[in-house]
Amino acid sequence: MLNDIKQDAQTRMAKSVDALKHELTRLRTGRASTALVDHLKVNYYGSDVPIGQVANIAVADARSLTITPWEKPMVPAVEKAIIAANLGFTPTTAGTVIRINIPALTQERRKELSKHVAHEGETAKIAIRNVRRDALHQIKELLKDKKITEDEERKAEEDMQKLTDKFVKDIDGVVKAKEDELMAM
């Protein structure tokens, strides 16, 4: 019972850290990354599909991406999707290749992005604490139903706090790494 609760909490906390990492990969740092456009949807013959299903996305160099649609008629649709997403850069088309040049970040924009990273980190920490709260509630229920002793409850609560501290430290590391990446340019 207690092991199941701990396993479930650990899994959910790990998912929170993974979600934070995924969210931060979308954040523009001045360095080209395919994650900047991965989430875009393109109108493909009447239905919206991820850009990766209609085009090849590649990092050309540190400051530019190339997007090559597999079908020539898709070039305007991909361009339109990039412009509509309002990502802060304009696509340039040469034949069937769409190039996106990523401008360097200003110091002001870096500070804004750093605040956003800190906010995302705090949101992830709140999710971790909510998982801990749920687990502690389940442990209290077991004690109330006399399925565990008070000593087992206390030990489980300590374990849950250690687990929470570990994942909060992981989140702090992820946030610090992203902030360092933002400020390093």
Side-chain angles (χ1 to χ4, degrees):
M1 292 177 288
L2 290 176
N3 282 340
D4 293 342
I5 293 171
K6 186 176 177 182
Q7 277 300 115
D8 180 53
Q10 189 169 5
T11 303
R12 290 172 56 201
M13 288 179 183
K15 285 181 182 176
S16 294
V17 173
D18 289 343
L20 173 67
K21 287 177 182 176
H22 180 71
E23 187 63 34
L24 294 182
T25 58
R26 292 183 178 176
L27 205 59
R28 196 178 119 206
T29 58
R31 200 180 282 138
S33 167
T34 59
L36 294 173
V37 294
D38 276 347
H39 64 284
L40 296 181
K41 301 282 186 200
V42 177
N43 187 337
Y44 184 68
Y45 300 113
S47 62
D48 288 342
V49 297
I51 193 169
Q53 291 183 5
V54 297
N56 185 33
I57 306 165
V59 177
D61 57 51
R63 297 229 184 256
S64 64
L65 291 174
T66 57
I67 301 172
T68 312
W70 294 319
E71 301 173 21
K72 188 169 175 96
M74 289 308 300
V75 173
V78 171
E79 268 187 321
K80 185 177 176 183
I82 293 168
I83 292 168
N86 197 17
L87 298 172
F89 33 75
T90 310
T92 310
T93 306
T96 59
V97 177
I98 300 168
R99 182 175 289 280
I100 298 175
N101 291 317
I102 299 164
L105 296 173
T106 63
Q107 195 62 27
E108 184 179 308
R109 181 70 177 140
R110 288 174 205 267
K111 288 179 182 170
E112 263 179 53
L113 289 173
S114 186
K115 285 180 186 175
H116 180 72
V117 168
H119 174 73
E120 291 293 330
E122 195 54 43
T123 303
K125 287 180 188 178
I126 290 169
I128 298 272
R129 291 185 200 115
N130 287 339
V131 171
R132 178 189 61 193
R133 185 196 62 218
D134 293 345
L136 292 177
H137 179 73
Q138 290 174 342
I139 292 168
K140 295 266 189 227
E141 287 294 315
L142 289 175
L143 179 66
K144 195 169 95 177
D145 295 342
K146 305 237 186 276
K147 293 183 179 175
I148 60 172
T149 65
E150 287 184 16
D151 289 342
E152 289 172 322
E153 178 215 16
R154 199 169 306 111
K155 173 81 171 103
E157 285 177 355
E158 287 172 8
D159 289 347
M160 201 51 58
Q161 187 58 47
K162 287 177 187 172
L163 195 63
T164 302
D165 293 344
K166 175 192 172 295
F167 280 102
V168 165
K169 189 175 178 181
D170 290 350
I171 287 173
D172 287 340
V174 169
V175 167
K176 175 95 173 87
K178 191 64 173 186
E179 285 176 343
D180 289 349
E181 182 183 341
L182 279 169
M183 294 303 180
M185 303 287 158

Coordinates of all heavy atoms in Angstrom, one line a residue, residues 79-170:
E79 N 4.5 28.5 -44.5 CA 4.8 29.9 -44.2 C 3.7 30.6 -43.4 O 4.0 31.3 -42.5 CB 5.0 30.7 -45.6 CG 6.3 30.7 -46.1 CD 6.4 31.6 -47.3 OE1 5.5 31.6 -48.1 OE2 7.4 32.3 -47.4
K80 N 2.5 30.4 -43.8 CA 1.3 31.0 -43.2 C 1.3 30.5 -41.7 O 1.0 31.4 -40.8 CB 0.1 30.6 -43.9 CG -1.2 31.2 -43.4 CD -2.4 30.8 -44.3 CE -3.7 31.4 -43.7 NZ -4.8 31.0 -44.5
A81 N 1.5 29.3 -41.5 CA 1.5 28.7 -40.1 C 2.6 29.4 -39.2 O 2.3 29.7 -38.1 CB 1.6 27.2 -40.1
I82 N 3.7 29.6 -39.8 CA 4.8 30.2 -39.1 C 4.5 31.7 -38.7 O 4.7 32.1 -37.6 CB 6.2 30.1 -39.9 CG1 6.6 28.6 -40.0 CG2 7.3 30.9 -39.2 CD1 7.7 28.4 -41.0
I83 N 4.0 32.4 -39.7 CA 3.6 33.8 -39.5 C 2.5 33.9 -38.5 O 2.5 34.7 -37.6 CB 3.3 34.5 -40.8 CG1 4.5 34.6 -41.7 CG2 2.7 35.8 -40.6 CD1 4.3 34.9 -43.1
A84 N 1.5 33.0 -38.6 CA 0.3 33.1 -37.7 C 0.7 32.8 -36.3 O 0.1 33.2 -35.3 CB -0.7 32.1 -38.2
A85 N 1.8 32.0 -36.1 CA 2.2 31.6 -34.7 C 2.8 32.8 -34.0 O 2.9 32.7 -32.7 CB 3.2 30.4 -34.8
N86 N 3.2 33.8 -34.7 CA 3.7 35.0 -34.1 C 4.9 34.7 -33.1 O 4.9 35.0 -32.0 CB 2.6 35.8 -33.3 CG 3.0 37.2 -33.0 OD1 4.0 37.7 -33.6 ND2 2.3 37.8 -32.1
L87 N 5.9 34.0 -33.7 CA 7.0 33.5 -32.9 C 8.1 34.6 -32.8 O 9.1 34.4 -32.1 CB 7.6 32.3 -33.6 CG 6.7 31.1 -33.6 CD1 7.3 29.9 -34.4 CD2 6.4 30.6 -32.2
G88 N 8.0 35.7 -33.6 CA 9.0 36.7 -33.5 C 10.0 36.7 -34.6 O 11.0 37.4 -34.5
F89 N 9.8 35.8 -35.6 CA 10.7 35.8 -36.7 C 9.9 35.6 -38.0 O 8.8 35.0 -38.0 CB 11.8 34.8 -36.6 CG 11.5 33.6 -35.9 CD1 10.8 32.6 -36.5 CD2 12.0 33.4 -34.6 CE1 10.5 31.4 -35.8 CE2 11.8 32.2 -33.9 CZ 11.0 31.2 -34.5
T90 N 10.5 36.0 -39.1 CA 9.8 36.0 -40.4 C 10.4 34.9 -41.3 O 11.7 34.9 -41.4 CB 9.8 37.3 -41.1 OG1 9.4 38.3 -40.2 CG2 8.9 37.4 -42.3
P91 N 9.7 34.1 -41.9 CA 10.3 33.1 -42.8 C 10.7 33.7 -44.1 O 10.0 34.6 -44.6 CB 9.1 32.0 -43.0 CG 7.9 32.8 -42.7 CD 8.2 33.9 -41.7
T92 N 11.7 33.2 -44.7 CA 12.2 33.6 -46.0 C 12.1 32.3 -46.9 O 12.7 31.3 -46.5 CB 13.6 34.1 -46.0 OG1 13.7 35.0 -44.9 CG2 14.1 34.7 -47.3
T93 N 11.5 32.5 -48.1 CA 11.4 31.3 -49.0 C 12.3 31.4 -50.2 O 12.3 32.5 -50.8 CB 9.9 31.2 -49.4 OG1 9.1 31.1 -48.3 CG2 9.7 29.9 -50.2
A94 N 12.9 30.3 -50.5 CA 13.8 30.2 -51.7 C 13.4 28.9 -52.4 O 13.8 27.9 -52.0 CB 15.2 30.3 -51.4
G95 N 12.5 29.0 -53.3 CA 12.0 27.8 -54.0 C 11.1 27.0 -53.1 O 10.1 27.4 -52.6
T96 N 11.6 25.8 -52.7 CA 10.8 24.9 -51.8 C 11.4 24.9 -50.4 O 10.9 24.2 -49.5 CB 10.7 23.5 -52.3 OG1 12.0 23.0 -52.5 CG2 10.0 23.4 -53.7
V97 N 12.4 25.7 -50.2 CA 13.0 25.7 -48.8 C 12.7 27.0 -48.1 O 12.8 28.1 -48.6 CB 14.6 25.6 -48.9 CG1 15.2 25.7 -47.6 CG2 15.0 24.3 -49.6
I98 N 12.2 26.8 -46.9 CA 11.8 28.0 -46.1 C 12.9 28.1 -45.0 O 13.2 27.2 -44.3 CB 10.4 27.8 -45.4 CG1 9.4 27.6 -46.4 CG2 10.1 28.9 -44.5 CD1 8.1 27.1 -45.9
R99 N 13.5 29.3 -44.9 CA 14.6 29.5 -44.0 C 14.1 30.5 -42.9 O 13.4 31.5 -43.2 CB 15.8 30.1 -44.7 CG 17.0 30.4 -43.8 CD 18.2 30.8 -44.6 NE 18.8 29.8 -45.4 CZ 19.6 28.8 -45.0 NH1 19.9 28.8 -43.7 NH2 20.1 27.9 -45.8
I100 N 14.4 30.2 -41.7 CA 14.1 31.1 -40.6 C 15.4 31.5 -39.9 O 16.1 30.7 -39.4 CB 13.2 30.4 -39.5 CG1 11.8 30.0 -40.2 CG2 12.9 31.3 -38.4 CD1 11.0 29.2 -39.3
N101 N 15.6 32.8 -40.0 CA 16.8 33.3 -39.3 C 16.4 33.8 -37.9 O 15.4 34.6 -37.8 CB 17.4 34.5 -40.0 CG 18.1 34.0 -41.3 OD1 18.8 33.0 -41.3 ND2 17.8 34.7 -42.4
I102 N 17.1 33.4 -36.9 CA 16.7 33.7 -35.5 C 17.6 34.8 -35.0 O 18.8 34.7 -34.9 CB 16.9 32.4 -34.6 CG1 15.9 31.4 -35.1 CG2 16.6 32.8 -33.1 CD1 16.2 30.0 -34.6
P103 N 17.0 36.0 -34.8 CA 17.8 37.1 -34.3 C 18.3 36.9 -32.9 O 17.8 36.2 -32.1 CB 16.8 38.3 -34.4 CG 15.5 37.7 -34.3 CD 15.6 36.3 -34.9
A104 N 19.4 37.6 -32.6 CA 20.0 37.6 -31.3 C 19.0 38.2 -30.3 O 18.3 39.1 -30.7 CB 21.3 38.3 -31.3
L105 N 19.0 37.7 -29.1 CA 18.1 38.3 -28.1 C 18.7 39.6 -27.5 O 19.9 39.6 -27.2 CB 17.9 37.3 -27.0 CG 17.2 36.0 -27.4 CD1 17.2 35.0 -26.2 CD2 15.8 36.3 -27.8
T106 N 17.9 40.5 -27.2 CA 18.3 41.7 -26.5 C 18.4 41.4 -25.0 O 17.8 40.4 -24.5 CB 17.3 42.9 -26.7 OG1 16.1 42.5 -26.1 CG2 17.1 43.2 -28.2
Q107 N 19.1 42.2 -24.3 CA 19.3 42.0 -22.8 C 17.9 42.0 -22.1 O 17.6 41.3 -21.2 CB 20.3 43.0 -22.2 CG 20.7 42.6 -20.8 CD 21.5 41.3 -20.8 OE1 22.1 40.9 -21.8 NE2 21.5 40.7 -19.7
E108 N 17.1 43.0 -22.6 CA 15.7 43.1 -22.0 C 14.9 41.9 -22.2 O 14.2 41.4 -21.3 CB 15.1 44.3 -22.6 CG 13.7 44.7 -22.0 CD 13.1 45.9 -22.7 OE1 13.8 46.9 -22.8 OE2 12.0 45.8 -23.2
R109 N 15.0 41.3 -23.4 CA 14.2 40.1 -23.7 C 14.7 38.9 -23.0 O 14.0 38.1 -22.5 CB 14.3 39.9 -25.3 CG 13.5 38.6 -25.7 CD 12.0 38.8 -25.6 NE 11.4 37.6 -26.1 CZ 10.3 37.1 -25.6 NH1 9.7 37.7 -24.6 NH2 9.8 36.0 -26.1
R110 N 16.0 38.9 -22.7 CA 16.6 37.8 -22.0 C 16.1 37.8 -20.5 O 15.8 36.8 -20.0 CB 18.1 37.9 -21.9 CG 18.9 37.6 -23.2 CD 20.3 37.9 -23.0 NE 21.0 38.2 -24.2 CZ 21.6 37.3 -24.9 NH1 21.7 36.1 -24.5 NH2 22.2 37.6 -26.1
K111 N 16.0 39.0 -20.0 CA 15.4 39.1 -18.6 C 14.0 38.7 -18.5 O 13.6 38.0 -17.6 CB 15.6 40.6 -18.1 CG 17.1 40.9 -17.8 CD 17.2 42.3 -17.3 CE 18.7 42.6 -17.0 NZ 19.0 44.0 -16.8
E112 N 13.2 39.1 -19.6 CA 11.8 38.7 -19.6 C 11.7 37.2 -19.7 O 10.9 36.6 -19.0 CB 11.2 39.2 -20.9 CG 10.4 40.5 -20.8 CD 9.9 40.9 -22.1 OE1 9.2 40.1 -22.8 OE2 10.1 42.1 -22.5
L113 N 12.5 36.6 -20.6 CA 12.5 35.1 -20.7 C 13.0 34.4 -19.4 O 12.4 33.4 -19.1 CB 13.4 34.7 -21.9 CG 12.8 35.0 -23.3 CD1 13.8 34.7 -24.4 CD2 11.5 34.2 -23.6
S114 N 13.9 35.0 -18.8 CA 14.4 34.5 -17.5 C 13.3 34.4 -16.4 O 13.1 33.5 -15.7 CB 15.6 35.3 -17.0 OG 16.2 34.7 -15.9
K115 N 12.5 35.5 -16.4 CA 11.3 35.6 -15.5 C 10.3 34.5 -15.9 O 9.7 33.9 -15.0 CB 10.7 37.0 -15.5 CG 11.5 38.0 -14.8 CD 10.8 39.4 -14.9 CE 11.6 40.5 -14.3 NZ 11.0 41.8 -14.5
H116 N 10.1 34.3 -17.2 CA 9.2 33.3 -17.6 C 9.7 31.9 -17.2 O 8.9 31.1 -16.8 CB 9.0 33.4 -19.1 CG 8.1 32.4 -19.7 ND1 6.7 32.4 -19.5 CD2 8.3 31.2 -20.4 CE1 6.1 31.4 -20.1 NE2 7.1 30.6 -20.6
V117 N 10.9 31.7 -17.3 CA 11.5 30.4 -16.9 C 11.3 30.1 -15.4 O 10.9 29.1 -15.0 CB 13.0 30.3 -17.3 CG1 13.7 29.1 -16.6 CG2 13.2 30.2 -18.8
A118 N 11.6 31.2 -14.6 CA 11.4 31.1 -13.2 C 9.9 30.8 -12.9 O 9.6 30.0 -12.0 CB 11.8 32.4 -12.5
H119 N 9.0 31.4 -13.6 CA 7.5 31.2 -13.4 C 7.2 29.8 -13.7 O 6.4 29.1 -13.0 CB 6.7 32.2 -14.3 CG 5.3 31.9 -14.2 ND1 4.5 32.2 -13.1 CD2 4.4 31.4 -15.1 CE1 3.2 31.9 -13.3 NE2 3.2 31.4 -14.6
E120 N 7.7 29.3 -14.9 CA 7.4 27.9 -15.2 C 8.0 26.9 -14.2 O 7.3 25.9 -13.9 CB 8.0 27.5 -16.6 CG 7.3 28.2 -17.8 CD 5.9 27.8 -18.0 OE1 5.6 26.6 -17.7 OE2 5.1 28.6 -18.5
G121 N 9.1 27.2 -13.7 CA 9.7 26.4 -12.6 C 8.9 26.4 -11.4 O 8.6 25.3 -10.7
E122 N 8.3 27.5 -11.0 CA 7.5 27.6 -9.8 C 6.2 26.8 -10.0 O 5.7 26.2 -9.1 CB 7.2 29.1 -9.5 CG 6.6 29.3 -8.1 CD 7.4 28.7 -7.0 OE1 8.6 28.9 -7.0 OE2 6.8 28.1 -6.1
T123 N 5.6 26.9 -11.3 CA 4.4 26.1 -11.6 C 4.7 24.6 -11.4 O 3.9 23.9 -10.9 CB 4.0 26.5 -13.0 OG1 3.7 27.9 -13.1 CG2 2.7 25.7 -13.4
A124 N 5.9 24.2 -11.9 CA 6.2 22.8 -11.7 C 6.4 22.4 -10.3 O 6.0 21.3 -9.9 CB 7.5 22.5 -12.5
K125 N 6.9 23.3 -9.5 CA 7.1 23.0 -8.0 C 5.7 22.9 -7.4 O 5.5 22.0 -6.5 CB 7.9 24.1 -7.3 CG 9.4 24.1 -7.6 CD 10.0 25.2 -6.9 CE 11.5 25.4 -7.3 NZ 12.1 26.5 -6.6
I126 N 4.8 23.7 -7.8 CA 3.4 23.6 -7.3 C 2.8 22.3 -7.6 O 2.1 21.6 -6.8 CB 2.5 24.8 -7.8 CG1 3.0 26.1 -7.2 CG2 1.1 24.6 -7.5 CD1 2.4 27.4 -7.8
A127 N 3.0 21.8 -8.8 CA 2.5 20.5 -9.2 C 3.1 19.4 -8.4 O 2.4 18.5 -7.9 CB 2.8 20.2 -10.7
I128 N 4.4 19.5 -8.1 CA 5.1 18.5 -7.2 C 4.5 18.6 -5.8 O 4.2 17.5 -5.2 CB 6.6 18.9 -7.1 CG1 7.3 18.8 -8.4 CG2 7.3 18.0 -6.0 CD1 7.8 17.4 -8.9
R129 N 4.2 19.7 -5.3 CA 3.6 19.9 -3.9 C 2.2 19.3 -3.9 O 1.8 18.7 -2.9 CB 3.7 21.3 -3.5 CG 5.1 21.8 -3.2 CD 5.1 23.2 -2.6 NE 6.4 23.8 -2.8 CZ 6.6 24.8 -3.5 NH1 5.6 25.5 -4.2 NH2 7.8 25.3 -3.6
N130 N 1.5 19.5 -5.0 CA 0.1 18.9 -5.1 C 0.2 17.4 -5.1 O -0.7 16.8 -4.4 CB -0.6 19.4 -6.3 CG -1.0 20.9 -6.2 OD1 -1.1 21.4 -5.1 ND2 -1.2 21.5 -7.3
V131 N 1.2 16.8 -5.7 CA 1.3 15.4 -5.7 C 1.6 14.9 -4.3 O 1.1 13.9 -3.8 CB 2.4 14.9 -6.7 CG1 2.8 13.4 -6.5 CG2 2.1 15.2 -8.1
R132 N 2.5 15.6 -3.6 CA 2.8 15.3 -2.2 C 1.6 15.4 -1.3 O 1.3 14.5 -0.5 CB 3.9 16.3 -1.7 CG 4.2 16.0 -0.2 CD 5.1 17.0 0.4 NE 4.5 18.3 0.4 CZ 5.1 19.5 0.7 NH1 6.3 19.5 0.9 NH2 4.4 20.6 0.6
R133 N 0.8 16.5 -1.5 CA -0.4 16.6 -0.7 C -1.4 15.4 -0.9 O -1.9 14.9 0.0 CB -1.1 17.9 -1.1 CG -2.3 18.2 -0.3 CD -3.2 19.3 -0.9 NE -3.7 18.8 -2.1 CZ -3.9 19.5 -3.2 NH1 -3.6 20.8 -3.2 NH2 -4.3 19.0 -4.3
D134 N -1.5 15.0 -2.2 CA -2.4 13.9 -2.5 C -1.9 12.6 -1.8 O -2.7 11.8 -1.3 CB -2.5 13.7 -4.0 CG -3.2 14.8 -4.7 OD1 -3.9 15.6 -4.0 OD2 -3.2 14.8 -6.0
A135 N -0.6 12.4 -1.9 CA 0.0 11.2 -1.3 C -0.2 11.2 0.2 O -0.5 10.2 0.8 CB 1.5 11.1 -1.7
L136 N 0.1 12.4 0.8 CA -0.1 12.5 2.3 C -1.6 12.3 2.7 O -1.8 11.6 3.7 CB 0.4 13.9 2.8 CG 1.9 14.1 2.7 CD1 2.2 15.5 3.2 CD2 2.7 13.1 3.5
H137 N -2.5 12.7 1.9 CA -3.9 12.5 2.1 C -4.2 11.0 2.1 O -4.9 10.5 3.0 CB -4.8 13.2 1.1 CG -6.2 13.0 1.3 ND1 -6.9 13.6 2.4 CD2 -7.1 12.3 0.6 CE1 -8.2 13.2 2.3 NE2 -8.3 12.4 1.2
Q138 N -3.6 10.3 1.1 CA -3.9 8.8 1.0 C -3.3 8.1 2.2 O -3.9 7.2 2.7 CB -3.2 8.3 -0.3 CG -3.9 8.7 -1.5 CD -3.2 8.3 -2.8 OE1 -2.0 7.9 -2.7 NE2 -3.9 8.2 -3.9
I139 N -2.1 8.6 2.7 CA -1.5 8.0 3.9 C -2.3 8.2 5.1 O -2.5 7.3 5.9 CB 0.0 8.6 4.0 CG1 0.9 8.1 2.9 CG2 0.5 8.1 5.4 CD1 2.2 8.8 2.8
K140 N -2.9 9.4 5.3 CA -3.8 9.7 6.4 C -5.0 8.8 6.4 O -5.5 8.3 7.4 CB -4.2 11.2 6.4 CG -3.0 12.1 6.6 CD -2.9 12.5 8.0 CE -1.9 13.7 8.1 NZ -1.0 13.4 9.2
E141 N -5.5 8.6 5.1 CA -6.7 7.7 5.0 C -6.4 6.3 5.5 O -7.2 5.6 6.1 CB -7.2 7.7 3.5 CG -7.9 9.0 3.1 CD -9.2 9.2 3.8 OE1 -10.0 8.2 4.0 OE2 -9.4 10.3 4.3
L142 N -5.2 5.8 5.1 CA -4.8 4.5 5.5 C -4.7 4.4 7.1 O -5.1 3.4 7.7 CB -3.4 4.1 4.9 CG -3.4 3.8 3.4 CD1 -2.0 3.5 2.9 CD2 -4.3 2.6 3.1
L143 N -4.1 5.4 7.7 CA -4.1 5.5 9.1 C -5.4 5.5 9.8 O -5.7 4.8 10.7 CB -3.2 6.7 9.6 CG -3.1 6.9 11.1 CD1 -2.3 5.7 11.7 CD2 -2.5 8.2 11.4
K144 N -6.3 6.3 9.2 CA -7.7 6.4 9.7 C -8.4 5.1 9.6 O -9.2 4.8 10.5 CB -8.4 7.5 8.9 CG -9.7 8.0 9.6 CD -10.3 9.2 8.9 CE -11.3 8.8 7.9 NZ -11.9 9.9 7.2
D145 N -8.2 4.4 8.5 CA -8.8 3.1 8.3 C -8.1 2.0 9.1 O -8.4 0.8 9.0 CB -8.9 2.7 6.8 CG -9.8 3.7 6.1 OD1 -10.6 4.4 6.7 OD2 -9.6 3.7 4.8
K146 N -7.1 2.3 9.9 CA -6.3 1.4 10.7 C -5.6 0.3 9.9 O -5.4 -0.8 10.3 CB -7.2 0.8 11.8 CG -7.9 1.8 12.7 CD -7.6 1.5 14.1 CE -8.4 2.4 15.0 NZ -7.9 3.7 15.2
K147 N -5.1 0.7 8.7 CA -4.4 -0.2 7.8 C -2.9 -0.1 8.0 O -2.2 -1.0 7.6 CB -4.8 0.0 6.3 CG -6.2 -0.4 6.0 CD -6.5 -0.2 4.6 CE -8.0 -0.6 4.4 NZ -8.4 -0.4 3.0
I148 N -2.5 1.0 8.6 CA -1.1 1.2 9.0 C -1.0 1.8 10.4 O -2.0 2.3 10.9 CB -0.4 2.2 8.0 CG1 -1.0 3.6 8.0 CG2 -0.3 1.6 6.6 CD1 -0.2 4.6 7.2
T149 N 0.2 1.7 11.0 CA 0.4 2.3 12.3 C 0.9 3.7 12.2 O 1.2 4.2 11.1 CB 1.5 1.5 13.1 OG1 2.7 1.6 12.4 CG2 1.1 0.0 13.2
E150 N 0.9 4.4 13.3 CA 1.3 5.8 13.4 C 2.8 5.9 13.0 O 3.2 6.8 12.3 CB 1.1 6.4 14.7 CG -0.4 6.7 15.0 CD -0.6 7.4 16.3 OE1 0.3 7.9 16.9 OE2 -1.8 7.4 16.7
D151 N 3.6 4.9 13.4 CA 5.0 4.9 13.1 C 5.2 4.8 11.5 O 6.0 5.4 10.9 CB 5.8 3.8 13.8 CG 5.9 4.0 15.3 OD1 5.7 5.2 15.7 OD2 6.2 3.0 16.0
E152 N 4.4 3.9 10.9 CA 4.5 3.7 9.5 C 4.1 5.0 8.8 O 4.7 5.4 7.8 CB 3.6 2.5 9.0 CG 4.1 1.2 9.4 CD 3.1 0.1 9.1 OE1 1.9 0.3 9.3 OE2 3.6 -1.0 8.7
E153 N 3.1 5.7 9.3 CA 2.6 6.9 8.7 C 3.7 8.0 8.8 O 4.0 8.6 7.8 CB 1.4 7.4 9.5 CG 0.9 8.8 9.0 CD 0.3 9.7 10.0 OE1 0.6 9.4 11.2 OE2 -0.4 10.7 9.6
R154 N 4.3 8.1 10.0 CA 5.4 9.1 10.1 C 6.5 8.8 9.2 O 7.1 9.7 8.5 CB 5.9 9.1 11.6 CG 6.6 10.3 12.0 CD 6.9 10.5 13.5 NE 5.7 10.4 14.3 CZ 5.4 9.3 15.1 NH1 6.3 8.3 15.2 NH2 4.3 9.3 15.8
K155 N 6.9 7.5 9.0 CA 8.0 7.1 8.1 C 7.6 7.5 6.7 O 8.4 8.0 5.9 CB 8.3 5.6 8.3 CG 9.3 5.1 7.3 CD 10.7 5.4 7.7 CE 11.7 4.6 6.8 NZ 12.3 5.4 5.8
A156 N 6.4 7.2 6.3 CA 5.9 7.4 4.9 C 5.9 8.9 4.7 O 6.2 9.3 3.6 CB 4.5 6.8 4.7
E157 N 5.5 9.7 5.6 CA 5.5 11.2 5.5 C 6.9 11.7 5.3 O 7.1 12.6 4.4 CB 4.8 11.9 6.6 CG 3.3 11.7 6.6 CD 2.6 12.3 7.9 OE1 3.4 12.8 8.8 OE2 1.4 12.3 7.9
E158 N 7.8 11.2 6.0 CA 9.2 11.6 5.9 C 9.8 11.2 4.5 O 10.4 12.0 3.8 CB 10.1 10.9 7.0 CG 9.9 11.5 8.3 CD 10.7 10.7 9.4 OE1 11.4 9.8 9.1 OE2 10.4 11.0 10.6
D159 N 9.4 10.0 4.1 CA 9.9 9.5 2.7 C 9.3 10.5 1.6 O 10.0 10.8 0.7 CB 9.4 8.1 2.5 CG 10.2 7.1 3.3 OD1 11.3 7.5 3.9 OD2 9.8 5.9 3.3
M160 N 8.0 10.8 1.8 CA 7.3 11.7 0.8 C 8.0 13.1 0.8 O 8.2 13.6 -0.3 CB 5.9 11.8 1.2 CG 5.0 12.2 0.1 SD 5.2 11.2 -1.4 CE 4.8 9.6 -0.9
Q161 N 8.4 13.6 2.0 CA 9.1 14.9 2.0 C 10.4 14.8 1.3 O 10.8 15.7 0.6 CB 9.2 15.4 3.4 CG 9.8 16.8 3.5 CD 8.9 17.8 2.8 OE1 7.7 17.8 2.9 NE2 9.5 18.6 2.0
K162 N 11.2 13.7 1.5 CA 12.5 13.5 0.9 C 12.3 13.5 -0.6 O 13.1 14.0 -1.4 CB 13.2 12.2 1.4 CG 13.7 12.3 2.8 CD 14.3 11.0 3.3 CE 14.7 11.1 4.7 NZ 15.1 9.8 5.3
L163 N 11.3 12.7 -1.1 CA 11.0 12.6 -2.5 C 10.7 14.0 -3.1 O 11.2 14.4 -4.2 CB 9.8 11.6 -2.7 CG 9.6 11.1 -4.1 CD1 10.8 10.3 -4.5 CD2 8.4 10.2 -4.1
T164 N 9.9 14.7 -2.4 CA 9.5 16.1 -2.8 C 10.7 17.0 -2.9 O 10.9 17.7 -3.9 CB 8.5 16.7 -1.8 OG1 7.3 15.8 -1.8 CG2 8.0 18.1 -2.3
D165 N 11.6 16.9 -1.9 CA 12.8 17.8 -1.9 C 13.7 17.4 -3.1 O 14.3 18.3 -3.7 CB 13.6 17.6 -0.6 CG 12.8 18.1 0.6 OD1 11.8 18.9 0.4 OD2 13.1 17.8 1.8
K166 N 13.8 16.1 -3.4 CA 14.6 15.7 -4.5 C 14.1 16.2 -5.8 O 14.9 16.8 -6.6 CB 14.6 14.1 -4.6 CG 15.4 13.6 -5.8 CD 15.1 12.1 -5.9 CE 15.6 11.5 -7.2 NZ 15.1 12.0 -8.4
F167 N 12.8 16.2 -6.0 CA 12.3 16.6 -7.3 C 12.3 18.2 -7.4 O 12.5 18.7 -8.5 CB 10.9 16.1 -7.5 CG 10.9 14.7 -8.1 CD1 10.6 13.6 -7.2 CD2 11.2 14.4 -9.4 CE1 10.7 12.3 -7.7 CE2 11.3 13.1 -9.9 CZ 11.0 12.0 -9.1
V168 N 12.1 18.8 -6.3 CA 12.2 20.3 -6.3 C 13.6 20.7 -6.6 O 13.8 21.7 -7.4 CB 11.7 20.9 -4.9 CG1 12.1 22.3 -4.8 CG2 10.2 20.8 -4.8
K169 N 14.6 20.0 -6.1 CA 16.0 20.3 -6.4 C 16.2 20.0 -7.9 O 16.9 20.8 -8.6 CB 16.9 19.4 -5.6 CG 18.3 19.7 -5.7 CD 19.2 18.8 -4.7 CE 20.6 19.2 -4.9 NZ 21.5 18.3 -4.0
D170 N 15.6 19.0 -8.5 CA 15.7 18.7 -9.9 C 15.2 19.9 -10.7 O 15.8 20.3 -11.7 CB 15.0 17.4 -10.3 CG 15.7 16.2 -9.8 OD1 16.8 16.3 -9.3 OD2 15.1 15.1 -9.9

